[in-house]
Amino acid sequence: MSDDENAKQICEKVEQSYQIIGRKWVALIIHTLMEEPKRFSEIHAYIPDLSKRVLNERMKELEEEGLVVRHVVTERPVRTEYMLSRKGTELGRALSAVERWADKWL
């Protein structure tokens, strides 16, 4: 692979990553899940301006991207929890640098 082809491939991957994290609410959802798995209602409570409809859409998108894992807990009462995958956790760590920048500069 030539240097030009390699650079183009890297640019495409960077653009794809910005398309994922640039969707409204995605970074906050990932931030919310960094500590521990949470139920849908807990995520919604943490981000109250996010409608349930949009949260549902984003959770499905994040699942499809392999960033979030949906887990059904079969204990009584049965509940569904969401947690970050390894891929999602690594993205969360990268976004932590943005959080530190925001805390310092905004």
Side-chain angles (χ1 to χ4, degrees):
M1 181 179 295
S2 73
D3 287 345
D4 287 343
E5 290 171 330
N6 191 38
K8 182 180 178 189
Q9 190 175 42
I10 290 170
C11 285
E12 289 171 357
K13 288 181 179 184
V14 169
E15 177 62 27
Q16 184 179 2
S17 69
Y18 281 119
Q19 287 177 4
I20 293 168
I21 61 175
R23 290 183 204 135
K24 190 162 186 170
W25 306 112
V26 166
L28 283 175
I29 293 168
I30 290 172
H31 171 80
T32 302
L33 293 172
M34 280 297 288
E35 298 282 326
E36 61 187 4
K38 290 188 177 53
R39 295 187 324 268
F40 185 92
S41 61
E42 293 173 311
I43 299 167
H44 185 258
Y46 190 83
I47 315 170
D49 290 341
L50 171 56
S51 73
K52 289 181 179 180
R53 181 187 62 79
V54 174
L55 176 56
N56 190 50
E57 288 175 14
R58 292 298 176 269
M59 296 309 289
K60 286 179 182 177
E61 293 167 358
L62 292 171
E63 268 189 274
E64 289 171 7
E65 292 288 347
L67 297 168
V68 170
V69 176
R70 183 177 178 269
H71 176 69
V72 177
V73 179
T74 56
E75 301 169 355
R76 294 272 185 228
V78 175
R79 64 188 184 280
T80 301
E81 292 182 338
Y82 295 90
M83 66 189 82
L84 293 177
S85 65
R86 183 173 165 208
K87 181 178 174 181
T89 300
E90 287 188 29
L91 177 57
R93 289 185 190 129
L95 292 174
S96 291
V98 175
E99 291 173 25
R100 288 189 301 278
W101 176 87
D103 186 47
K104 180 177 181 178
W105 294 102
L106 299 180

